[in-house]
Amino acid sequence: MTPGRERGLTALLCAAGSGLALLAAGRTWVTVRAGDAITPVAQSVSGRDLGGTASALALAGLAGLAALFATSGRVRAAVGALIALFGGGIAYASALAVQRSQVRSAVADKSTLFSLNPHPAMDVNLWWMVSVTGGVVLAAGGLITLVRGARWPGMSARYDRGTPAASGEDRTDAEPIPDEPAPSDVDPAVLWRSFDRGEDPTASRDGRP
């Protein structure tokens, strides 16, 4: 596999990890039911309701993709380390968000009925695991960048060079300067007026034959 292709596949890996985390953040992670309350109620809680850390780190991971292509060498390796930290943070924040204390705090902010029930029933689905998976995938992409990124090519340098005229290079594709028109191409009336003035119309402007 060429270094350029390896860089592209790693970027796709990072994008997939961030995308999974962002997708999961908008889905319902926990459904809480307060059956012992005066009025039995149920409340669905999304990943963003439980905390915006995971989605914020996923957006930071997407922003790191631009730096992955724009940098090179050790700077790119440092970017890879940051992306790996973002992925690890997503996985940790997602697992922490579904803890009972965190869920109770989130639903209490939505309805006071849940704060009156000390033991509400909680149904946790698998969307939080999707977010954890996204964090792991993003972290893997960051680690690959940390280890292998210094070998990958940077952005194309052809746009960093000046134009041939500005850099002093000869232009091979420049259009040739048109030659002086041949006497046969000159209007006969012009030739006649030149004869009247005593001029030789076959001579060039600089006096050379």
Side-chain angles (χ1 to χ4, degrees), residues 6 104 150 158:
E6 186 179 55
R104 287 193 60 189
R158 61 182 176 180

Side-chain angles (χ1 to χ4, degrees), residues 22-60:
L22 288 174
L23 175 66
R27 299 299 189 272
T28 299
W29 288 17
V30 183
T31 300
V32 183
R33 294 179 175 85
D36 296 336
I38 300 174
T39 302
V41 292
Q43 181 69 55
S44 297
V45 186
S46 68
R48 291 192 180 93
D49 294 331
L50 293 171
T53 303
S55 56
L57 290 175
L59 290 175

